[in-house]
Amino acid sequence: MERSLDPTDVKILRELQEDGRLSNVELARRINLSPAACLERVKRLQNDGIIQRYVALLDPHRLDAGMLVFVEVVLDRTTPDNFDDFKGTVLRMPQIMECHMVAGGFDYLVKARVRDMNEYRLFLGELLSTARGVRETHTYAVMEEVKSVTAIPLDGLSG
């Protein structure tokens, strides 16, 4: 059974989603706990799998990955083998940041980052479209990122 979050847990999560590099002492000060009690709670949240990992968010434009695309992928057959093959292929493509199996008019929604349109054409033509089981793709090039957040909404929780 999953343990429910109390208001202090939610405060910890809010602070760490904003800045995952906070020291335990600073985090404890911000949420009005002793450092030992704060560290115990953070460890519990990690052990419970609520906090999965800590990452650095990088600027894709400064790292030659400024073009963001979404690609709808339709498989030729929706069988477990095709799903497994496609999943294996996607996991080997570093350009793909996210891939979601979806219900609806296509099978997968892929989010990928590349340098520019030329690199995208190579990625699509030589990697994604030629993957075993892929019947068709439809691409949506992002013109402007209006909102891009990583924080999970915590409204409605005890905090």
Side-chain angles (χ1 to χ4, degrees):
M1 178 175 199
E2 289 189 24
R3 187 180 338 210
S4 63
L5 299 175
D6 67 18
T8 302
D9 291 332
V10 174
K11 288 178 187 176
I12 289 170
L13 295 174
R14 278 200 177 101
E15 292 292 337
L16 289 176
Q17 282 195 121
E18 184 64 31
D19 183 358
R21 292 186 57 177
L22 281 177
S23 70
N24 183 61
V25 171
E26 177 60 17
L27 178 60
R29 185 192 67 74
R30 289 185 185 189
I31 62 169
N32 201 27
L33 271 185
S34 72
C38 181
L39 183 60
E40 182 179 318
R41 282 177 175 264
V42 170
K43 285 183 178 180
R44 189 190 81 231
L45 291 166
Q46 291 170 339
N47 291 336
D48 288 351
I50 293 169
I51 297 174
Q52 295 179 342
R53 67 181 192 260
Y54 299 89
V55 300
L57 300 177
L58 308 179
D59 182 342
H61 299 281
R62 299 188 67 168
L63 298 168
D64 279 339
M67 183 172 185
L68 178 61
V69 294
F70 290 89
V71 185
E72 295 175 356
V73 177
V74 178
L75 300 181
D76 59 10
R77 290 184 330 243
T78 54
T79 65
D81 287 343
N82 268 16
F83 292 144
D84 289 344
D85 287 346
F86 186 74
K87 179 180 177 181
T89 299
V90 163
L91 293 174
R92 291 188 301 274
M93 293 181 183
Q95 301 91 334
I96 296 178
M97 300 181 65
E98 297 178 22
C99 178
H100 305 274
M101 180 189 277
V102 296
F106 53 96
D107 299 308
Y108 290 93
L109 182 62
V110 171
K111 176 182 175 181
R113 278 209 173 269
V114 293
R115 179 176 43 249
D116 55 25
M117 187 57 76
N118 287 334
E119 187 175 306
Y120 176 69
R121 287 182 65 209
L122 290 172
F123 165 75
L124 183 66
E126 295 179 11
L127 296 173
L128 191 60
S129 291
T130 61
R132 188 168 156 223
V134 172
R135 184 176 77 207
E136 64 185 72
T137 62
H138 297 278
T139 299
Y140 304 91
V142 174
M143 295 171 55
E144 176 185 3
E145 288 183 64
V146 176
K147 181 178 180 181
S148 178
V149 298
T150 60
I152 305 259
L154 300 175
D155 298 341
L157 297 178
S158 298

